[in-house]
Structures are given as C-alpha cells and as structure tokens.
Amino acid sequence: MCQPGRVTNTPVCVLGLGLIGGSLMRAAAAAGREVFGYNRSLEAVTAARADGFDADEDLDAVLRRAADRDALIVLAVPVPALAQLLGHIRDTAPDCPLTDVTSVKSAVSEQVRSFGLLERFVGGHPMAGTAHSGWSAGAADLFVGAPWVVSVDDHVDPAVWALVMRLALDCGAVVVPARSDEHDAAAATISHLPHLLAEALATTAGEVPLAFALAAGSFRDGTRVAGTAPDLVRAMCEANADRLVPALDRTLELLDQARTALVQGDQLTEFVEQGHAARTRYDSFGRPDIVATVIGAQGWREELAAEGRAGGVIRSALPVPDSPG
Amino acid sequence: MCQPGRVTNTPVCVLGLGLIGGSLMRAAAAAGREVFGYNRSLEAVTAARADGFDADEDLDAVLRRAADRDALIVLAVPVPALAQLLGHIRDTAPDCPLTDVTSVKSAVSEQVRSFGLLERFVGGHPMAGTAHSGWSAGAADLFVGAPWVVSVDDHVDPAVWALVMRLALDCGAVVVPARSDEHDAAAATISHLPHLLAEALATTAGEVPLAFALAAGSFRDGTRVAGTAPDLVRAMCEANADRLVPALDRTLELLDQARTALVQGDQLTEFVEQGHAARTRYDSFGRPDIVATVIGAQGWREELAAEGRAGGVIRSALPVPDSPG
C-alpha cells in the first residue's frame, strides 16, 4: 500500500491510450514519473512503443505488473468499456489505488462500487480535449493549465486522493476538488446543455433561407460545439441524463417566459438582465488558490468541496498528515 | 434627381453619429465621398467636428442642405427615434434618396411608408458592430469585409438601390441583396435567437453551485453574447418579435424532442446528427460573387434575392442600364 509520504514515486498504469490516456502517459513521463499502459488495439500500442513509451496489449500482464508495483491505475477508456476493465482489475489488482478521467462522475463511481473497488477509487475529470482522438492526437501539454476535477466524495481515502492530486499537478493541471454529484450537475449546465442548445440552434437556422448567408459571430459562437462528433455529444448527454434534464427544464422555463413576453408585446427586461448579470458574474469569477487544507484532517472533504464550489483551485500539492508539509 | 451614371458623386447625409453612423461618416469620407451629418446631442457634433468632419445639430438646416444637394440620406438612429426624423424629412427633403442602417428591416419599411417616403427608400443593414457605442467608438474600417444587406423589396427603385450599393462598397463592405421579410426571419434565427439562448444558459448556470468553477469553452462561447448591453438585446429582440417567436418555437420543439429522449433513456441520435449536419453545411457554405445581374433589368430584384439566398455577395458595383457597365 502506498503511503502519502511517497506519493511522487508511485508508478502510473494507464488503461486506454487514446487522446486523454495517451496524453496522460506522455505528461506523466515528462514529469519524471514511471508510467506504463495498456491498449486493446495493437495499433495504438505499436504507435506508443514507437514513440518510446512502455505499452502493451496484454491486459492481465499489465495489471499483474500494476499489482506488483502498487501502481496508481488510471481508467482512460470510454464509459461502455469500463465494466470489462473493472472485472479484470477486481481479479488481478484489487488493492491498487484507482482513478479515472471520464466526464461523468456519479455513473462511473456506481460501476466501480458494483465491482467492489470503491474503497481505493477517487474519480477524476481533466477538463481538456481537442476535436481529435487516438494516441496520435495526444500531447504532453494537453493538461497544462486545465482544471482537473478530483472527487471528494464521502468515501474517498486521503492517501489515494493525494496520489490523484499529485498526478494531475504533475501533468500541469490545476486541481478542482468537487463532489461527484455536484460535478455532474455543473457539467450538465456548462457543457452538456450548451451542446443541446448549439444543436437546436444549428438545426433551426439550417431550415431558414438566407440564414447562413447572414450568419456571423453570434451564430458562429452559439453553434461552435455542434461541430463536435455526434457520438461524443450523445455519449456525454445520455450518460448524464439525470442531471441534464433538470438543467434543460430550467432553460426551457426561462425561454418560455421570454416567449410569453414577446407574444404579448411585453418587455424582455427581467429575462435579459438576469442573463447579463449571470454572465457578468462569470467574467469576474475569481480562482483563489487552495493552500491551507490538510488532506485527511477532520472535515477535509467538506472543506475542499466548499473551496472548489467557490472557485478555489489547487496549484501545488497540499500537505498530508504524515508528510513534512 | 440622381441618375445611375453619377452615383459616385452623390453626397451622403448621415442622420445620427453614433457607432454606425459615425463609422459610416468616416468610411465614406475616407473613400473620397462628400459627407455631412446631423446629431441631436451637441457632444457628438463637437467631437465629430474636432475630428475634422462636417457635423451639425440643426436638423432642418442639414436636411435643407441634403435637399439642395440631392444627397443620399442615411437614417442612423435607433428605431424609437426614427419617426421624429422621418417627419422632418417629409417636410424638408422628401425627394432625397433614403436608406437606413437598422437591424430590423420590415418595421423600418413600414414606418417609412407611413410617412409617404417609401418610393425613394432602400433599406440597409451593415452587419458590423462592437460592444461600444457613440461617435468615439466609431472607426473608418468598421465595415471592411462585413456583409451589408441591401433590401430588394418589390418597391425598390433601381437608381436608389445602386446608390446604396455603392455606399456600402465604398465603406469596404460586401453587399448581400435580400428581401426585408427574409432578412428579418434570418436575423431572428442567426442573431436574436442566439441572444435568447445565451441569456437563458447564463442564468441557468448561474444558479448551479460549482458551474462557474468548471465552466470552459462551450459555456464561454455559448454565453458570449449575453455580455451585450441588455438594452441593445431587448431592442433587437422586441422589434423583431413577429419573426423571433416562430424561430424560438422551432428551437423549443427540438429541445423538447431531446428532453423526451433523455427522460425515456432513448438515444439522441437524430437530434444530434441534425444539428451537426447543419453546422457542417454552414462551415462549407460558399460565398460566390454576384457579377452578372443588371440593376433595373427585368426581374432584377427577384434575381438578386435568389442569389443572396444562395450566399451570393456583391464585391464590386453591378452595372446599371444607362452606365458604361
């Protein structure tokens, strides 16, 4: 078992070498970490090896090595592929610390729990990406400056939490501590809902003659994410449907208020001023550093969740009780 | 009365020296045009004069000069201020060619008609702007490369149309010919609807803890126009309510389909693929040059409307029947 005092020496085992997993492997290696990985397709394994990385397509061999080395295992596969990986981890490396890099946190936690692996699991979500995918699209600097959510759910173990925090920092990210349920509700409103609105706006305009001929900044910005690959959009939105529907309902309620005002010839004052005020608050939303919380001290999870909610980020490793600080 | 053959010599009289009117005055002067203008507040007049421009706060004096010189009068005031100007024009300069630079075309046409001035009127809408306003915010290059819609409604006079086209080209814009009703329906979907969606999205996210802490590209782009001054957003949307409501209804219908799928655990396939396909069509939407239409020839208005609808733009002056070509 790893101890907080030696977190930086913990090897990293990446399962899935696509855009995120492949970038994580590069970034961890660049930070001097021991890192090895698995990918199901030989193609990505061959490409990773050609780039000088330690990759293998034999999952059980990789997991035996992770168990021997007490490595931090990173789940970096799409949600539908998780169950199969978790079965192998339960059988071969059940005591390894475990994290993931998936955009929906509650659903992943539930799956991990169903395999009996929750005790050693701390969810993660690096908020970085490009329009491309696969090993070749990855880059060691993909996470530099990006928020990397690390879950502070009630069950999380301080030592594993410190390992995941350190990995995110080693990759150049800033750590945002958050509860999984709050993460998913927030992601529904700031990521999944904008995708729905962009798709609807693009379709609506596409049906109106002359619309594309006149389209400029407000249409271009409002539909940019409709350019995302449909499978990715569907996967995000469908996996977070429970959180997305309430966010969508609030937006539909607001738009319906605006519609009523327009139909009745009333002013849109309240509707517009609310939106403007919210966007103005966002523009001035601060990102204070979280520096004082001791991981594992009494109430540390609640304290970090509150700091993350207020915009706080961890830019350098927080102290753990049995480390020098 | 101006003749098509001497369009470039027609003086320009700008009524209203805010961002758009003030930029138009600068751009026309930079193109070598004789240009003079009026503003109600002495402040803008003084500032324009200090910058070397020919500005006055005496409306009737300016309009008498416009009548003497047979100038092209440009209405560059907000919609609520139009009626008062049009009354003075009817009394003092009813025979001058007339255009405007307002974002809603049908409503302005109706007002112009109610003052008996429709015969000499050709609506215009330069699709350019900044977040700032007033004379000091203007710039001679504001319109460079921007689409400038020029109305091809059934009533428009070829000679006046040619004058407005030439002014837009002199300001560095590309001319998009369009019917007023089609312009307003298109503007509803590509400009006014995105504003409504941005306001609703900003408000929705502003109510969710952690949302601003995690917000990144898709939220930032999707709410950018919620940063626009509330009065401007209200003025646009309220003035075009008749066109905006049907566009909003179509978007609400699409979002409701998505909601149903999410609630039932169905796939979002059709909803997402429609939006993606529309955005992809927009990305590859061509802007062919309109070069062959002769202004005033039989069916010229319908021909230009069809070309504009297909994305066509006028980059250099089209021929008029009694000009060399």
Side-chain angles (χ1 to χ4, degrees):
Chain A
M1 291 272 291
C2 64
Q3 298 304 317
R6 46 176 280 261
V7 287
T8 50
N9 300 322
T10 304
V12 181
C13 168
V14 184
L15 305 182
L17 301 176
L19 171 68
I20 301 295
S23 296
L24 197 157
M25 177 173 253
R26 292 175 176 93
R33 301 285 293 264
E34 177 188 340
V35 56
F36 57 97
Y38 153 82
N39 200 76
R40 195 178 53 153
S41 83
L42 186 57
E43 194 184 339
V45 169
T46 307
R49 283 182 180 163
D51 289 340
F53 292 92
D54 189 347
D56 204 303
E57 80 275 22
D58 181 340
L59 177 58
D60 287 318
V62 168
L63 287 176
R64 279 195 301 274
R65 181 172 165 195
D68 284 348
R69 305 279 295 117
D70 198 21
L72 171 61
I73 297 177
V74 182
L75 301 163
V77 296
V79 174
L82 275 178
Q84 199 238 343
L85 280 190
L86 289 168
H88 284 267
I89 294 169
R90 180 191 52 199
D91 296 341
T92 308
D95 295 325
C96 282
L98 187 62
T99 187
D100 77 319
V101 289
T102 315
S103 68
V104 181
K105 301 264 58 69
S106 301
V108 173
S109 262
E110 277 313 303
Q111 282 215 51
V112 170
R113 181 198 301 273
S114 74
F115 283 87
L117 295 166
L118 192 63
E119 202 185 321
R120 303 288 288 151
F121 176 73
V122 171
H125 177 206
M127 302 190 71
T130 74
H132 305 287
S133 58
W135 169 267
S136 60
D141 64 356
L142 184 70
F143 309 108
V144 172
W148 187 315
V149 176
V150 180
S151 295
V152 283
D153 298 328
D154 295 338
H155 77 272
V156 297
D157 178 83
V160 179
W161 207 90
L163 284 176
V164 178
M165 169 190 69
R166 176 69 74 172
L167 175 64
L169 294 173
D170 280 349
C171 291
V174 299
V175 171
V176 178
R179 295 180 54 90
S180 288
D181 52 357
E182 292 187 5
H183 166 278
D184 290 350
T189 63
I190 57 92
S191 172
H192 309 154
L193 178 58
H195 275 91
L196 295 186
L197 299 181
E199 307 286 7
L201 175 57
T203 299
T204 300
E207 294 167 353
V208 174
L210 198 74
F212 287 171
L214 300 191
S218 47
F219 176 77
R220 210 162 42 232
D221 288 352
T223 59
R224 186 185 59 83
V225 294
T228 309
D231 286 352
L232 291 179
V233 177
R234 280 188 39 216
M236 288 191 294
C237 294
E238 292 168 6
N240 201 24
D242 289 351
R243 305 289 176 176
L244 179 50
V245 169
L248 176 56
D249 282 347
R250 177 60 178 140
T251 282
L252 290 173
E253 181 187 24
L254 290 163
L255 291 174
D256 206 56
Q257 287 168 10
R259 184 187 188 283
T260 302
L262 288 168
V263 168
Q264 296 180 345
D266 291 344
Q267 296 190 337
L268 291 171
T269 316
E270 190 190 345
F271 172 81
V272 171
E273 287 184 355
Q274 263 182 327
H276 183 259
R279 168 71 198 198
T280 304
R281 280 206 311 283
Y282 168 68
D283 283 334
S284 61
F285 190 73
R287 309 244 57 163
D289 284 9
I290 302 173
V291 292
T293 307
V294 176
I295 298 170
Q298 203 187 356
W300 69 282
R301 299 182 190 87
E302 295 74 15
E303 195 175 314
L304 284 180
E307 291 182 288
R309 219 176 279 130
V313 295
I314 301 167
R315 295 178 199 274
S316 58
L318 293 177
V320 289
D322 57 341
S323 80
Chain B
M1 290 273 290
C2 63
Q3 298 303 319
R6 45 176 282 259
V7 289
T8 50
N9 300 322
T10 303
V12 180
C13 168
V14 184
L15 305 183
L17 300 176
L19 171 67
I20 301 293
S23 296
L24 198 156
M25 178 173 252
R26 292 176 177 91
R33 301 285 293 264
E34 177 187 339
V35 55
F36 57 97
Y38 152 82
N39 199 77
R40 195 178 53 152
S41 82
L42 185 58
E43 195 183 337
V45 168
T46 307
R49 282 182 181 164
D51 290 342
F53 292 91
D54 188 347
D56 204 302
E57 80 275 23
D58 181 340
L59 176 58
D60 287 317
V62 168
L63 288 176
R64 278 194 302 274
R65 181 173 167 194
D68 284 348
R69 306 279 295 117
D70 198 20
L72 170 61
I73 297 177
V74 182
L75 301 162
V77 296
V79 174
L82 275 179
Q84 201 237 340
L85 280 191
L86 289 167
H88 284 267
I89 294 169
R90 180 191 53 199
D91 296 341
T92 306
D95 295 325
C96 283
L98 187 63
T99 188
D100 77 320
V101 290
T102 315
S103 69
V104 181
K105 303 265 57 68
S106 301
V108 173
S109 261
E110 277 312 303
Q111 282 216 51
V112 170
R113 182 198 301 272
S114 74
F115 283 87
L117 295 165
L118 192 63
E119 202 184 320
R120 303 289 286 152
F121 176 72
V122 171
H125 178 206
M127 303 189 72
T130 75
H132 305 287
S133 58
W135 169 268
S136 60
D141 63 356
L142 184 69
F143 308 109
V144 173
W148 189 314
V149 175
V150 180
S151 295
V152 283
D153 298 327
D154 295 337
H155 77 274
V156 297
D157 177 82
V160 178
W161 207 90
L163 283 175
V164 178
M165 169 190 69
R166 174 71 73 172
L167 176 64
L169 294 173
D170 280 350
C171 290
V174 298
V175 171
V176 178
R179 295 180 54 89
S180 288
D181 52 357
E182 292 186 5
H183 166 278
D184 290 352
T189 63
I190 57 95
S191 172
H192 309 152
L193 178 58
H195 275 90
L196 294 186
L197 299 181
E199 307 287 6
L201 175 58
T203 299
T204 299
E207 294 167 353
V208 173
L210 199 73
F212 287 171
L214 300 190
S218 47
F219 176 77
R220 211 161 43 230
D221 288 351
T223 58
R224 187 185 58 84
V225 294
T228 309
D231 287 351
L232 291 180
V233 177
R234 280 188 39 217
M236 288 193 294
C237 294
E238 292 168 7
N240 201 24
D242 289 352
R243 305 289 175 176
L244 179 50
V245 169
L248 176 56
D249 282 347
R250 177 61 177 138
T251 281
L252 290 173
E253 180 187 25
L254 290 163
L255 290 173
D256 206 57
Q257 287 167 11
R259 184 187 187 283
T260 301
L262 288 168
V263 168
Q264 295 180 346
D266 292 342
Q267 297 189 336
L268 291 171
T269 316
E270 189 190 346
F271 172 81
V272 172
E273 287 184 355
Q274 263 182 329
H276 182 259
R279 170 71 198 198
T280 304
R281 280 205 312 283
Y282 168 68
D283 283 335
S284 62
F285 190 73
R287 310 245 51 166
D289 283 10
I290 302 173
V291 292
T293 306
V294 176
I295 299 170
Q298 204 187 357
W300 69 282
R301 301 181 189 86
E302 296 73 16
E303 195 175 313
L304 284 180
E307 291 181 287
R309 218 176 278 130
V313 295
I314 300 167
R315 294 179 200 274
S316 58
L318 293 177
V320 290
D322 58 342
S323 79

